[in-house]
Amino acid sequence: MDPLNPAAKPMGREGAAQSSASAAPAVTPAPAAPSRDVSPLIRELGLTEDHAAEPTALVTPDDLLRVAQALRERGFMLMDTVGLDYSTYPERRPARLAVLHNIYHPRDHRRVFLRVWLDDGQSLPSLYPVWRAANYLEREVYDLIGVPFTGHPDLRKILTPDDLEGHPLRKDFPLGETPTLFRDGRFLDPAAFRAGLTGQTGGLTGYRGELRRGQGEDRTPPVMPAGGPK
């Protein structure tokens, strides 16, 4: 009983619960995580979204630097650059070659790929003036696919010897007939490499292919002779 209000009725359990609930401070919901959808960004940049497994925008060579600079101003960074040869692709493509730039935002984790279609021998503006990370990435594409990058400060091979003819990641490169030599003296002999994968012989590594299929017994590989393989 309330001594100041004798007519008041005692508060039951429901009343006490309601009183406690009304006295509790309101819980502010946590802010929603930022959307990783880059479709609005692609439209904002005036680009066309490509049909691909990952968000991809089609960019022309003449428009590449504008798009890259706009993305950098929004906090994006260059993560990777790869070249692709579609000369033997079963479906028709706009051109034989494509360069794909992987652009990533480190804070909100948005990612967008920029795809540029190129004819054989056509050059592409270097992204080095926008992102310094393009230096070695573009050199690798130049070496293995043969795409020249205009405006690159030091465009030269990075993996294969200077006197190697052709580009090893092109579909018409004769990998099945010619061993591929790398700068440090190692080479990839196609026949021995395939034999090691199929389990026919120890291949280049000393391991047989059956271990890759969960068969056979593990064993110590042979000791490499001094100076490497002979």
Side-chain angles (χ1 to χ4, degrees), residues 39-153:
S39 295
L41 174 63
I42 294 176
R43 293 192 296 268
E44 179 185 344
L45 295 175
L47 304 175
T48 300
E49 189 166 358
D50 195 10
H51 179 69
E54 297 291 338
T56 305
L58 295 173
V59 187
T60 63
D62 294 338
D63 202 26
L64 180 61
L65 285 179
R66 177 194 70 86
V67 173
Q69 186 62 45
L71 289 171
R72 182 188 176 185
E73 292 171 356
R74 288 164 172 78
F76 285 83
M77 59 191 298
L78 176 65
M79 296 295 294
D80 197 9
T81 298
V82 297
L84 304 100
D85 181 1
Y86 286 91
S87 59
T88 60
Y89 197 72
E91 299 179 7
R92 184 175 179 83
R93 298 283 116 176
R96 173 180 178 175
L97 304 177
V99 171
L100 203 61
H101 294 294
N102 180 358
I103 313 297
Y104 177 75
H105 198 295
R107 294 188 181 275
D108 58 31
H109 308 295
R110 287 180 295 168
R111 187 186 305 273
V112 59
F113 291 86
L114 305 179
R115 189 194 302 275
V116 188
W117 290 104
L118 299 167
D119 292 321
D120 194 0
Q122 185 177 359
S123 62
L124 185 65
S126 172
L127 292 186
Y128 182 83
V130 182
W131 291 294
R132 294 295 187 263
N135 184 2
Y136 292 103
L137 299 175
E138 291 176 348
R139 285 180 58 188
E140 182 175 342
V141 175
Y142 168 71
D143 187 0
L144 301 181
I145 291 291
V147 175
F149 293 88
T150 58
H152 192 286

Side-chain angles (χ1 to χ4, degrees), residues 210-211 214-219:
E210 76 262 10
L211 296 180
Q215 304 170 1
E217 296 181 358
D218 194 5
R219 54 190 180 275

